[in-house]
């Protein structure tokens, strides 16, 4: 065929081939367009939030339905999760109960921007304000932090906000600390073991695998946060309770370590569909023992606490229906 004739006749064929290739590369695999993805905001990869999120998503993805996929998203933590949830960047998220309270009521960092569409799904486990100190730092109580180098967390994190709130409420003047550092949770351990800080306040569920490893690695102790001022704070608080790390939780803990705790809560938005919220809530309740084997901080399933503890935002109607219908619930 003459070149001039091919230029005329072959052009439509070439164009069709280009279009077919483009479509082939752009088209999703068969059935993929029908998959429903949803996200669960957690926290750092090394913490209980991420471990719990990964365990929950693994069960949901394994047991179906086949078109549903759950993705556990590592994040900076509660405050970030709440903001991302409000923007629709997350469908579900773990947040501390004190930050859930602030967000829904429009207090603190959420002043003037209350999240009225925030909805509770359930509470999971206590998150204790935990004072970890070097054994050679001379810290026997929270009152001994004066003059010491203490890590309170990055200013943009929920950990920092919780620590500052608790210390202020019980009359501890952080201005008397020798130095305040602003470390991420992942870097607290190495700094303690290296002796560059004397103590750190972390907010975690117990037992915690990372803390257990840290206690084995270097000479550290858990110090009680207790006394009349602490008990008065809890009595007046809507989102804190007393807590004790019991002997044997860690090999080094031989007597109760008393402190205060928030609650790890699972939240969503009012706009998230009833069927999705119900499926997530039903799966967690039904598979709680399996999840607790993977994340010991979850402890024993207690439906009454899961439905009420630390939940300031209204319970999502679909989650409420699941609790009502669950064995041990009011409709049982």
């Amino acid at each position: 065929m003459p070149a001039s004739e091919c230029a005329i006749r072959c052009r439509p064929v070439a164009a069709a081939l280009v279009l077919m290739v483009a479509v082939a590369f752009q088209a999703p695999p068969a059935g993929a367009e029908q998959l429903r993805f949803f996200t669960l905001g957690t926290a750092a990869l090394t913490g209980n939030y991420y471990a719990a999120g990964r365990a929950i998503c693994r069960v949901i993805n394994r047991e179906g339905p086949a078109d549903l996929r759950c993705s556990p998203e590592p994040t900076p933590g509660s405050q970030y999760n709440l903001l991302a949830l409000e923007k629709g960047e997350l469908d579900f998220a773990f947040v501390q109960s004190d930050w859930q309270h602030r967000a829904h009521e429009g207090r603190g960092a959420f002043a003037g921007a209350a999240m009225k569409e925030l909805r509770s799904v359930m509470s999971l486990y206590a998150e204790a304000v935990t004072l970890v100190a070097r054994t050679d730092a001379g810290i026997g109580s929270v009152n001994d932090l004066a003059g010491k180098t203490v890590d309170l967390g990055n200013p943009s994190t929920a950990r920092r906000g919780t620590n500052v709130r608790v210390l202020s409420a019980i009359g501890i003047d952080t201005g008397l600390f020798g130095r305040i550092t602003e470390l991420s949770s992942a870097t607290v351990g190495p700094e303690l073991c290296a002796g560059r800080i004397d103590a750190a306040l972390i907010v975690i569920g117990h037992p915690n695998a990372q803390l257990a490893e840290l206690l084995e690695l270097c000479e550290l102790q858990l110090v009680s946060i207790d006394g009349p001022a602490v008990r008065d704070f809890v009595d007046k608080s809507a989102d804190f309770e007393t807590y004790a790390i019991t002997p044997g939780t860690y090999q080094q803990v031989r007597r109760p370590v008393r402190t205060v705790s928030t609650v790890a809560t699972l939240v969503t938005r009012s706009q998230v569909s009833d069927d999705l919220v119900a499926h997530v809530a039903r799966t967690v309740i039904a598979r709680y023992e399996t999840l607790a084997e993977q994340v010991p901080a979850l402890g024993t399933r207690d439906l009454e606490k899961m439905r009420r503890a630390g939940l300031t935002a209204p319970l999502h109607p679909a989650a409420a229906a699941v609790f009502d219908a669950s064995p041990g619930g009011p409709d049982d």
Side-chain angles (χ1 to χ4, degrees):
M1 180 185 297
S4 59
E5 184 178 350
C6 181
I8 296 173
R9 294 187 178 182
C10 296
R11 189 178 301 143
V13 176
L17 288 172
V18 170
L19 180 60
M20 290 173 62
V21 171
V23 169
F25 275 101
Q26 292 176 6
E33 68 278 2
Q34 299 177 5
L35 289 177
R36 295 179 295 157
F37 291 91
F38 72 94
T39 51
L40 170 54
T42 61
L45 292 169
T46 55
N48 281 328
Y49 274 11
Y50 184 76
R54 183 177 57 183
I56 290 170
C57 285
R58 185 183 294 123
V59 170
I60 289 173
N61 293 341
R62 182 178 67 237
E63 299 187 0
D67 67 338
L68 190 64
R69 292 291 183 273
C70 172
S71 175
E73 302 294 324
T75 74
S78 294
Q79 186 173 355
Y80 175 94
N81 288 353
L82 286 162
L83 295 172
L85 193 70
E86 186 174 38
K87 294 175 183 177
E89 296 170 0
L90 295 172
D91 300 302
F92 296 84
F94 292 129
V95 302
Q96 294 172 197
S97 58
D98 54 329
W99 281 86
Q100 181 190 143
H101 188 192
R102 292 181 187 185
H104 186 258
E105 299 298 320
R107 300 180 181 181
F110 293 87
M115 291 180 60
K116 292 304 181 184
E117 299 307 314
L118 185 65
R119 294 293 180 267
S120 299
V121 179
M122 63 181 63
S123 65
L124 292 171
Y125 58 87
E127 289 192 287
V129 178
T130 307
L131 176 54
V132 187
R134 291 184 55 81
T135 55
D136 60 1
I139 300 172
S141 77
V142 69
N143 296 307
D144 296 328
L145 294 178
K148 308 297 184 181
T149 299
V150 183
D151 181 70
L152 299 179
N154 189 288
S156 64
T157 61
R159 175 166 79 95
R160 177 62 169 262
T162 298
N163 288 335
V164 169
R165 180 183 172 194
V166 170
L167 292 173
S168 175
I170 65 176
I172 301 298
D173 184 357
T174 58
L176 298 178
F177 293 178
R179 184 166 64 94
I180 294 174
T181 59
E182 302 174 348
L183 302 173
S184 68
S185 296
T187 57
V188 165
E191 293 299 293
L192 277 168
C193 289
R196 288 188 285 268
I197 60 175
D198 300 309
L201 283 155
I202 55 179
V203 185
I204 57 173
H206 296 282
N208 178 281
Q210 188 177 15
L211 178 59
E213 182 179 344
L214 189 61
L215 292 171
E216 292 287 341
L217 187 62
C218 49
E219 296 297 318
L220 302 174
Q221 62 178 335
L222 304 186
V223 180
S224 285
I225 302 174
D226 196 15
V230 174
R231 291 188 286 274
D232 184 60
F233 164 63
V234 171
D235 288 343
K236 296 177 179 177
S237 172
D239 42 26
F240 281 86
E241 56 189 34
T242 56
Y243 183 87
I245 304 169
T246 57
T249 302
Y250 305 99
Q251 183 179 351
Q252 296 79 3
V253 176
R254 297 181 176 84
R255 63 185 66 181
V257 178
R258 304 191 185 282
T259 184
V260 300
S261 74
T262 64
V263 180
T265 67
L266 177 61
V267 297
T268 186
R269 290 172 282 116
S270 63
Q271 299 91 336
V272 174
S273 68
D274 286 1
D275 67 327
L276 181 55
V277 173
H279 183 68
V280 171
R282 192 181 300 115
T283 300
V284 174
I285 290 173
R287 297 290 179 262
Y288 201 87
E289 291 184 357
T290 299
L291 296 171
E293 289 176 0
Q294 301 173 54
V295 189
L298 288 170
T300 304
R301 190 183 78 169
D302 184 329
L303 289 181
E304 183 61 25
K305 284 188 176 181
M306 291 172 69
R307 181 172 185 150
R308 304 189 188 282
L311 302 183
T312 302
L315 196 64
H316 193 289
V322 170
F323 277 111
D324 288 344
S326 296
D331 290 349
D332 181 36

